[in-house]
């Protein structure tokens, strides 16, 4: 056997790099078939209304229109990733109760299938819809009041979910507190802004399966939801992902998957659709706007003794993953700190706004803004260095969480905080000392430094079933000549398939060139779970290593080829106790600390992020270059979230659905330096010691920036994003910049 290369730990070039750079890689919108038709969706014209009738006659009479599909044509008219609470198409004639009601502008009312895209678009406008308007509610707090308009009969007061944590004795905690700080924090929507808008092609394959080429984050979940809506056996549905132009959680829920399949199911011809950027911004879910009202208490020595928080998140019109996102926010509201006395109440609230769901960080960034904001306020109140205060309270090996159970082994938060400080603006000579920041000559420009840290789960939480299947096939005679790895995990642009090949090569003991990877096709793989929760390296690595070990055993028994299929299941997690919140929420975590330097123009309110130092424990960097790319990408995406991305929704309608008016960072907005500090404290159950890391660098950046703005200007600003007019208003209220 050829001496194997050690692939894990090497910055091996992604095997899709050349095709993407040259433009040869095909994305969903690039596929065409002979005889294909085009699909257009007629979206709702109301935020909340009952549809009395739909007249499709004018659309059907338009030359070139092949079919118009409405609610009555959907076999099982419901879908949803967590709860099936949304109609595929809204309107009369459905067997599902409540499917005749639109609850937001994002709801689909009808589909037009036509010979050309232009004809389909024109016909969609010709559909006449008779609405009976219903009262709507767009404010989270108003939605929870008695007498507010109700979106779903089974959700009183529009509360999708309410989580509690009750730990310790709050009265005793407050009695011990020498210093108490309070704050109210708010965050806005965030648009995923992936490069490739929603698109896809559906057709009947050679085995008679309804097949959809599309971009998503979990082929088998898409397959299941399509099959459910079409009332077909899952084996009669096939989902294929080609190249995927980004996701960040934005492709976890359905966009075009079911409607494409539905169209082809009826017309028996290939059907294609491509959304415009405007469609993409208006009609797929967003990051949750969240408000947090919190109070923390500490002793004079800086020991946290009481934490209290009320968290409210806008779910929009349907659950999507809101019940999961707010569960995460509830856990992260106390930050990566130990405290004996905790009281939280967290709500996901239904409104007639656009639905919200998964986005990188999954509730942790919103909670971290408040937790780290209060920690920095405590440091100020105690006249204590913020790094020192964090280290006095940091979770560590053996620590118990707010939910009353210990963290899984492998906690590295103190080491991450220390290294993050030392790699940035702090020294530790006589205690922790922060370096002074040099101020610009222009008196209107003020510079400041901020620090924040956080942690984030790896894998599904709170009892959600977690698994990953992999198959490894070994071919050759006396020696293993080539290896085939089958795994369903989605590569949404992060390079995970390359990482899987690296781990497979080392698990089998062959050079990486000997490994062929097959994925992204439900006909070729078993379920692997989603490309979310920073889980794919962890879960796929364990599954591939398990399959490799069993395949090698078969090889030693002289089976040729030697094949093994293996399912990895991590340690079980448990849901919140409904009254106390006690649970075993996660089986692994990743840890991060960040320091930032900002420059604030006190005349204009413009916040410029100059430098970011991001320190991350990744367990094991399977591909160091890709780890660095994930850190830099997360930092820039978090920068946009913190200082510039301002999605405006008025009465449920998005008012700036263009990248000319919804601003995301460009090359001119990124920091002078993003310093990636990669630590490798092995996770005890991670493959090769690796732990997930893709979301973690997003989590603490916003509160670090807010702390730096406070350092620069003397003013706390607790509402995101820190856009210039908001910053100027706060500065003027505090007398900063007033001539």
């Amino acid at each position: 056997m050829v001496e194997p290369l050690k692939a894990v730990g090497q910055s091996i070039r992604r095997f899709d790099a050349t095709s993407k750079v040259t433009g040869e890689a095909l994305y969903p919108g690039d596929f065409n078939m002979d005889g294909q038709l085009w699909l257009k969706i007629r979206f709702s014209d109301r935020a909340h209304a009952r549809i009395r009738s739909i007249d499709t006659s004018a659309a059907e009479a338009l030359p070139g229109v092949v079919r118009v599909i409405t609610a009555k044509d959907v076999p099982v008219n419901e879908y949803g990733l967590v709860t099936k609470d949304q109609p595929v198409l809204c309107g009369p004639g459905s067997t599902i109760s409540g499917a005749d009601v639109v609850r937001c502008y994002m709801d689909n009312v009808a589909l037009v299938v036509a010979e050309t895209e232009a004809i389909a678009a024109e016909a969609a406008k010709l559909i006449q819809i008779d609405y009976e308007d219903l009262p709507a509610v767009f404010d989270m707090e108003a939605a929870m009041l008695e007498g507010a308009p109700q979106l779903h009969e089974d959700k009183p007061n529009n509360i999708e979910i309410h989580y509690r944590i009750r730990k310790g004795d709050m009265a005793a905690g407050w009695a011990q507190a020498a210093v108490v700080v309070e704050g109210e924090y708010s965050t806005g929507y965030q648009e995923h802004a992936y490069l490739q808008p929603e698109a896809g092609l559906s057709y009947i394959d050679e085995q008679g399966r309804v097949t959809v080429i599309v971009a998503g984050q979990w082929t088998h979940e898409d397959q299941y939801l399509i099959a459910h809506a079409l009332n077909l056996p899952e084996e009669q549905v096939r989902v294929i992902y080609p190249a995927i132009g980004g996701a960040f959680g934005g492709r976890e829920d359905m966009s075009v998957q079911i409607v494409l399949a539905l169209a082809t199911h009826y017309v028996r011809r290939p059907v294609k659709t491509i959304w415009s950027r405007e469609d993409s911004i208006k009609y797929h879910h967003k990051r949750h706007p969240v408000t947090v009202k919190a109070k923390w208490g500490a002793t004079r020595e800086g020991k946290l003794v009481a934490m209290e928080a009320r968290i409210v998140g806008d779910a929009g019109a349907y659950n999507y993953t809101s019940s999961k996102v707010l569960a995460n926010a509830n856990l992260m509201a106390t930050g990566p700190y130990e405290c004996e006395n905790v009281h939280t109440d967290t709500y996901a609230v239904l409104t007639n706004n656009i639905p919200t769901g998964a986005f990188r960080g999954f509730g942790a960034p919103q909670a971290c803004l408040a937790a780290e904001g209060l920690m920095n306020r405590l440091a100020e109140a105690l006249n204590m260095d913020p790094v020192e205060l964090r280290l006095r309270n940091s979770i560590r090996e053996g620590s118990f969480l707010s939910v009353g159970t210990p963290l899984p082994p492998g906690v590295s938060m103190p080491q991450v905080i220390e290294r993050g400080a030392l790699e940035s603006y702090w020294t530790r000579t006589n205690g922790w000392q922060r370096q002074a920041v040099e101020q610009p000559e222009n008196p209107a420009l003020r510079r400041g430094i901020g620090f924040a840290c956080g942690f984030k789960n790896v894998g599904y939480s709170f009892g959600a079933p977690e698994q990953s299947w992999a198959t490894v096939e070994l071919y050759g005679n006396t020696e293993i000549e080539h290896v085939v790895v089958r795994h369903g995990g989605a590569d949404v642009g992060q390079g995970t398939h390359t990482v899987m090949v690296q781990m497979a090569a080392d698990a089998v003991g062959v050079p990486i060139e000997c490994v062929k990877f097959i994925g992204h096709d439900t006909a070729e793989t078993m379920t692997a779970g989603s490309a979310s929760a920073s889980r794919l390296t962890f879960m796929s690595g364990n599954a591939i290593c398990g399959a490799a070990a069993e395949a090698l055993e078969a090889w030693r028994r002289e089976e040729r080829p030697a094949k093994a299929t293996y399912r990895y299941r991590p340690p079980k997690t448990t849901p919140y106790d409904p009254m106390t919140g006690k649970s075993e929420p996660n089986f692994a975590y990743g840890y991060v600390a960040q320091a930032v330097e900002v420059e604030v123009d006190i005349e204009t309110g413009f916040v410029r992020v100059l430098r970011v130092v991001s320190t991350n424990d990744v367990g094991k960097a399977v591909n160091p270059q890709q780890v660095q790319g994930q850190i830099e990408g997360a930092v820039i995406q978090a920068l946009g979230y913190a200082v510039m991305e301002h999605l405006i929704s008025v009465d449920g309608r998005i008012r700036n659905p263009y990248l000319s008016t919804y601003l995301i960072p460009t090359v001119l907005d990124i920091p002078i330096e993003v310093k990636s500090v990669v630590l490798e404290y092995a996770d005890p159950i991670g493959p090769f010691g690796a732990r997930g890391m893709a979301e973690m660098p997003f989590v603490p950046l916003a509160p670090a920036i807010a702390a730096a703005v406070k350092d620069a200007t003397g003013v706390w600003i607790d509402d995101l994003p820190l856009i210039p007019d908001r910053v100027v208003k706060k500065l003027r209220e505090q007398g900063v910049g007033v001539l």
Side-chain angles (χ1 to χ4, degrees), residues 184 186 377 605 709 713-719 722-738:
E184 293 188 32
S186 70
R377 273 179 161 83
V709 170
T713 66
V715 178
W716 288 110
I717 305 176
D718 301 325
D719 305 302
L722 302 179
I723 51 176
D725 57 343
R726 180 173 286 165
V727 172
V728 162
K729 184 175 185 292
K730 289 286 187 179
L731 294 181
R732 297 299 180 268
E733 287 173 356
Q734 298 297 316
V736 177
V738 177

mmCIF file of all heavy atoms in Angstrom, residues 184 186 377 605 709 713-719 722-738:
data_model
loop_
_atom_site.group_PDB
_atom_site.id
_atom_site.type_symbol
_atom_site.label_atom_id
_atom_site.label_comp_id
_atom_site.label_asym_id
_atom_site.label_seq_id
_atom_site.Cartn_x
_atom_site.Cartn_y
_atom_site.Cartn_z
ATOM 1 N N GLU A 184 -31.792 47.330 28.055
ATOM 2 C CA GLU A 184 -32.788 46.893 27.079
ATOM 3 C C GLU A 184 -32.118 46.913 25.712
ATOM 4 O O GLU A 184 -31.576 47.941 25.303
ATOM 5 C CB GLU A 184 -34.014 47.800 27.099
ATOM 6 C CG GLU A 184 -34.812 47.711 28.387
ATOM 7 C CD GLU A 184 -36.129 48.457 28.313
ATOM 8 O OE1 GLU A 184 -36.715 48.523 27.209
ATOM 9 O OE2 GLU A 184 -36.565 48.979 29.357
ATOM 10 N N SER A 186 -32.144 45.662 21.471
ATOM 11 C CA SER A 186 -32.987 45.253 20.347
ATOM 12 C C SER A 186 -32.126 45.005 19.115
ATOM 13 O O SER A 186 -31.106 45.673 18.906
ATOM 14 C CB SER A 186 -34.048 46.315 20.038
ATOM 15 O OG SER A 186 -33.465 47.469 19.482
ATOM 16 N N ARG A 377 -21.009 46.475 31.024
ATOM 17 C CA ARG A 377 -21.540 47.458 31.971
ATOM 18 C C ARG A 377 -21.108 47.138 33.403
ATOM 19 O O ARG A 377 -20.781 48.039 34.186
ATOM 20 C CB ARG A 377 -23.067 47.497 31.884
ATOM 21 C CG ARG A 377 -23.629 48.428 30.831
ATOM 22 C CD ARG A 377 -25.162 48.350 30.854
ATOM 23 N NE ARG A 377 -25.792 49.494 30.207
ATOM 24 C CZ ARG A 377 -25.985 49.627 28.913
ATOM 25 N NH1 ARG A 377 -25.559 48.666 28.101
ATOM 26 N NH2 ARG A 377 -26.569 50.693 28.408
ATOM 27 N N GLY A 605 -22.051 60.076 12.668
ATOM 28 C CA GLY A 605 -22.514 58.835 13.261
ATOM 29 C C GLY A 605 -21.998 57.596 12.559
ATOM 30 O O GLY A 605 -22.396 56.476 12.898
ATOM 31 N N VAL A 709 -17.624 51.274 20.565
ATOM 32 C CA VAL A 709 -18.286 52.564 20.346
ATOM 33 C C VAL A 709 -18.432 53.300 21.667
ATOM 34 O O VAL A 709 -18.223 54.518 21.753
ATOM 35 C CB VAL A 709 -19.649 52.358 19.659
ATOM 36 C CG1 VAL A 709 -20.461 53.649 19.654
ATOM 37 C CG2 VAL A 709 -19.457 51.845 18.238
ATOM 38 N N THR A 713 -16.833 56.930 22.465
ATOM 39 C CA THR A 713 -17.730 58.092 22.589
ATOM 40 C C THR A 713 -18.272 58.319 23.988
ATOM 41 O O THR A 713 -18.805 59.398 24.271
ATOM 42 C CB THR A 713 -18.939 57.921 21.655
ATOM 43 O OG1 THR A 713 -19.735 56.812 22.104
ATOM 44 C CG2 THR A 713 -18.495 57.688 20.217
ATOM 45 N N GLY A 714 -18.180 57.314 24.852
ATOM 46 C CA GLY A 714 -18.770 57.411 26.176
ATOM 47 C C GLY A 714 -20.253 57.119 26.209
ATOM 48 O O GLY A 714 -20.896 57.300 27.251
ATOM 49 N N VAL A 715 -20.811 56.635 25.102
ATOM 50 C CA VAL A 715 -22.258 56.418 25.005
ATOM 51 C C VAL A 715 -22.536 54.948 24.667
ATOM 52 O O VAL A 715 -21.997 54.414 23.694
ATOM 53 C CB VAL A 715 -22.892 57.330 23.932
ATOM 54 C CG1 VAL A 715 -24.389 57.053 23.808
ATOM 55 C CG2 VAL A 715 -22.639 58.791 24.267
ATOM 56 N N TRP A 716 -23.395 54.315 25.483
ATOM 57 C CA TRP A 716 -23.866 52.968 25.158
ATOM 58 C C TRP A 716 -24.981 53.066 24.126
ATOM 59 O O TRP A 716 -25.926 53.826 24.300
ATOM 60 C CB TRP A 716 -24.414 52.271 26.402
ATOM 61 C CG TRP A 716 -23.387 51.854 27.406
ATOM 62 C CD1 TRP A 716 -23.177 52.394 28.639
ATOM 63 C CD2 TRP A 716 -22.433 50.801 27.265
ATOM 64 N NE1 TRP A 716 -22.155 51.754 29.284
ATOM 65 C CE2 TRP A 716 -21.677 50.760 28.461
ATOM 66 C CE3 TRP A 716 -22.142 49.884 26.244
ATOM 67 C CZ2 TRP A 716 -20.648 49.843 28.661
ATOM 68 C CZ3 TRP A 716 -21.124 48.976 26.454
ATOM 69 C CH2 TRP A 716 -20.385 48.952 27.645
ATOM 70 N N ILE A 717 -24.876 52.271 23.086
ATOM 71 C CA ILE A 717 -25.946 52.177 22.082
ATOM 72 C C ILE A 717 -26.326 50.707 21.999
ATOM 73 O O ILE A 717 -25.509 49.862 21.612
ATOM 74 C CB ILE A 717 -25.509 52.720 20.712
ATOM 75 C CG1 ILE A 717 -24.996 54.158 20.867
ATOM 76 C CG2 ILE A 717 -26.680 52.677 19.724
ATOM 77 C CD1 ILE A 717 -24.453 54.772 19.588
ATOM 78 N N ASP A 718 -27.566 50.406 22.353
ATOM 79 C CA ASP A 718 -27.990 49.030 22.572
ATOM 80 C C ASP A 718 -28.953 48.501 21.518
ATOM 81 O O ASP A 718 -29.569 47.452 21.712
ATOM 82 C CB ASP A 718 -28.652 48.913 23.950
ATOM 83 C CG ASP A 718 -27.708 49.327 25.076
ATOM 84 O OD1 ASP A 718 -26.493 49.075 24.953
ATOM 85 O OD2 ASP A 718 -28.180 49.916 26.066
ATOM 86 N N ASP A 719 -29.079 49.225 20.418
ATOM 87 C CA ASP A 719 -30.005 48.818 19.366
ATOM 88 C C ASP A 719 -29.241 48.620 18.063
ATOM 89 O O ASP A 719 -28.506 49.513 17.622
ATOM 90 C CB ASP A 719 -31.094 49.877 19.162
ATOM 91 C CG ASP A 719 -31.830 50.192 20.454
ATOM 92 O OD1 ASP A 719 -32.396 49.253 21.049
ATOM 93 O OD2 ASP A 719 -31.832 51.366 20.881
ATOM 94 N N LEU A 722 -26.101 49.635 14.130
ATOM 95 C CA LEU A 722 -25.564 50.945 14.521
ATOM 96 C C LEU A 722 -25.393 51.808 13.274
ATOM 97 O O LEU A 722 -24.292 52.235 12.923
ATOM 98 C CB LEU A 722 -24.238 50.764 15.249
ATOM 99 C CG LEU A 722 -24.268 49.886 16.508
ATOM 100 C CD1 LEU A 722 -22.876 49.770 17.107
ATOM 101 C CD2 LEU A 722 -25.245 50.422 17.537
ATOM 102 N N ILE A 723 -26.529 52.108 12.640
ATOM 103 C CA ILE A 723 -26.509 52.934 11.433
ATOM 104 C C ILE A 723 -26.287 54.389 11.834
ATOM 105 O O ILE A 723 -26.577 54.792 12.963
ATOM 106 C CB ILE A 723 -27.805 52.769 10.630
ATOM 107 C CG1 ILE A 723 -29.031 52.973 11.521
ATOM 108 C CG2 ILE A 723 -27.847 51.389 9.971
ATOM 109 C CD1 ILE A 723 -30.355 52.923 10.782
ATOM 110 N N PRO A 724 -25.763 55.211 10.927
ATOM 111 C CA PRO A 724 -25.368 56.569 11.301
ATOM 112 C C PRO A 724 -26.457 57.409 11.963
ATOM 113 O O PRO A 724 -26.187 58.080 12.970
ATOM 114 C CB PRO A 724 -24.928 57.176 9.963
ATOM 115 C CG PRO A 724 -24.391 56.007 9.204
ATOM 116 C CD PRO A 724 -25.301 54.868 9.562
ATOM 117 N N ASP A 725 -27.678 57.399 11.431
ATOM 118 C CA ASP A 725 -28.686 58.266 12.037
ATOM 119 C C ASP A 725 -29.023 57.829 13.460
ATOM 120 O O ASP A 725 -29.282 58.661 14.339
ATOM 121 C CB ASP A 725 -29.943 58.344 11.169
ATOM 122 C CG ASP A 725 -30.561 56.999 10.877
ATOM 123 O OD1 ASP A 725 -29.886 55.980 11.055
ATOM 124 O OD2 ASP A 725 -31.730 56.976 10.431
ATOM 125 N N ARG A 726 -29.005 56.527 13.718
ATOM 126 C CA ARG A 726 -29.264 56.033 15.080
ATOM 127 C C ARG A 726 -28.124 56.429 16.015
ATOM 128 O O ARG A 726 -28.352 56.842 17.160
ATOM 129 C CB ARG A 726 -29.432 54.515 15.043
ATOM 130 C CG ARG A 726 -29.693 53.872 16.372
ATOM 131 C CD ARG A 726 -30.011 52.384 16.197
ATOM 132 N NE ARG A 726 -31.351 52.210 15.641
ATOM 133 C CZ ARG A 726 -31.799 51.076 15.110
ATOM 134 N NH1 ARG A 726 -31.002 50.024 15.039
ATOM 135 N NH2 ARG A 726 -33.014 50.997 14.642
ATOM 136 N N VAL A 727 -26.890 56.300 15.540
ATOM 137 C CA VAL A 727 -25.732 56.646 16.363
ATOM 138 C C VAL A 727 -25.725 58.142 16.669
ATOM 139 O O VAL A 727 -25.532 58.558 17.815
ATOM 140 C CB VAL A 727 -24.426 56.221 15.660
ATOM 141 C CG1 VAL A 727 -23.201 56.743 16.418
ATOM 142 C CG2 VAL A 727 -24.367 54.699 15.538
ATOM 143 N N VAL A 728 -25.947 58.960 15.640
ATOM 144 C CA VAL A 728 -25.968 60.411 15.849
ATOM 145 C C VAL A 728 -27.033 60.798 16.867
ATOM 146 O O VAL A 728 -26.804 61.621 17.766
ATOM 147 C CB VAL A 728 -26.202 61.148 14.512
ATOM 148 C CG1 VAL A 728 -26.654 62.579 14.756
ATOM 149 C CG2 VAL A 728 -24.927 61.153 13.692
ATOM 150 N N LYS A 729 -28.200 60.224 16.748
ATOM 151 C CA LYS A 729 -29.297 60.541 17.675
ATOM 152 C C LYS A 729 -28.893 60.230 19.112
ATOM 153 O O LYS A 729 -29.090 61.051 20.023
ATOM 154 C CB LYS A 729 -30.549 59.762 17.291
ATOM 155 C CG LYS A 729 -31.788 60.082 18.129
ATOM 156 C CD LYS A 729 -33.006 59.349 17.574
ATOM 157 C CE LYS A 729 -34.278 59.741 18.315
ATOM 158 N NZ LYS A 729 -34.286 59.263 19.705
ATOM 159 N N LYS A 730 -28.298 59.065 19.337
ATOM 160 C CA LYS A 730 -27.878 58.694 20.685
ATOM 161 C C LYS A 730 -26.765 59.607 21.196
ATOM 162 O O LYS A 730 -26.747 60.008 22.374
ATOM 163 C CB LYS A 730 -27.407 57.237 20.689
ATOM 164 C CG LYS A 730 -28.512 56.219 20.523
ATOM 165 C CD LYS A 730 -29.336 56.092 21.796
ATOM 166 C CE LYS A 730 -30.334 54.946 21.678
ATOM 167 N NZ LYS A 730 -31.142 54.794 22.913
ATOM 168 N N LEU A 731 -25.821 59.925 20.308
ATOM 169 C CA LEU A 731 -24.730 60.806 20.728
ATOM 170 C C LEU A 731 -25.243 62.175 21.116
ATOM 171 O O LEU A 731 -24.842 62.759 22.142
ATOM 172 C CB LEU A 731 -23.693 60.924 19.605
ATOM 173 C CG LEU A 731 -22.910 59.659 19.238
ATOM 174 C CD1 LEU A 731 -21.917 59.956 18.123
ATOM 175 C CD2 LEU A 731 -22.193 59.064 20.444
ATOM 176 N N ARG A 732 -26.177 62.698 20.312
ATOM 177 C CA ARG A 732 -26.708 64.035 20.611
ATOM 178 C C ARG A 732 -27.515 64.031 21.900
ATOM 179 O O ARG A 732 -27.485 65.003 22.675
ATOM 180 C CB ARG A 732 -27.570 64.532 19.447
ATOM 181 C CG ARG A 732 -26.827 64.709 18.130
ATOM 182 C CD ARG A 732 -25.694 65.733 18.222
ATOM 183 N NE ARG A 732 -25.023 65.866 16.929
ATOM 184 C CZ ARG A 732 -23.968 65.169 16.555
ATOM 185 N NH1 ARG A 732 -23.441 64.273 17.380
ATOM 186 N NH2 ARG A 732 -23.420 65.356 15.363
ATOM 187 N N GLU A 733 -28.242 62.947 22.137
ATOM 188 C CA GLU A 733 -29.007 62.862 23.383
ATOM 189 C C GLU A 733 -28.102 62.921 24.607
ATOM 190 O O GLU A 733 -28.521 63.386 25.664
ATOM 191 C CB GLU A 733 -29.817 61.559 23.410
ATOM 192 C CG GLU A 733 -31.011 61.543 22.467
ATOM 193 C CD GLU A 733 -31.675 60.173 22.401
ATOM 194 O OE1 GLU A 733 -31.150 59.227 23.035
ATOM 195 O OE2 GLU A 733 -32.704 60.042 21.719
ATOM 196 N N GLN A 734 -26.854 62.440 24.454
ATOM 197 C CA GLN A 734 -25.895 62.454 25.557
ATOM 198 C C GLN A 734 -24.937 63.643 25.488
ATOM 199 O O GLN A 734 -23.962 63.700 26.236
ATOM 200 C CB GLN A 734 -25.091 61.151 25.552
ATOM 201 C CG GLN A 734 -25.942 59.900 25.751
ATOM 202 C CD GLN A 734 -26.628 59.874 27.099
ATOM 203 O OE1 GLN A 734 -26.021 60.190 28.120
ATOM 204 N NE2 GLN A 734 -27.909 59.528 27.107
ATOM 205 N N GLY A 735 -25.220 64.553 24.573
ATOM 206 C CA GLY A 735 -24.407 65.761 24.480
ATOM 207 C C GLY A 735 -23.091 65.588 23.773
ATOM 208 O O GLY A 735 -22.223 66.477 23.837
ATOM 209 N N VAL A 736 -22.914 64.489 23.060
ATOM 210 C CA VAL A 736 -21.670 64.253 22.338
ATOM 211 C C VAL A 736 -21.802 64.821 20.930
ATOM 212 O O VAL A 736 -22.769 64.539 20.221
ATOM 213 C CB VAL A 736 -21.345 62.747 22.263
ATOM 214 C CG1 VAL A 736 -20.082 62.514 21.439
ATOM 215 C CG2 VAL A 736 -21.189 62.180 23.661
ATOM 216 N N GLY A 737 -20.841 65.642 20.535
ATOM 217 C CA GLY A 737 -20.854 66.223 19.204
ATOM 218 C C GLY A 737 -21.676 67.485 19.099
ATOM 219 O O GLY A 737 -21.828 68.043 18.007
ATOM 220 N N VAL A 738 -22.238 67.945 20.199
ATOM 221 C CA VAL A 738 -23.033 69.177 20.178
ATOM 222 C C VAL A 738 -22.089 70.372 20.223
ATOM 223 O O VAL A 738 -21.232 70.478 21.100
ATOM 224 C CB VAL A 738 -24.004 69.228 21.374
ATOM 225 C CG1 VAL A 738 -24.772 70.544 21.367
ATOM 226 C CG2 VAL A 738 -24.959 68.053 21.334
#
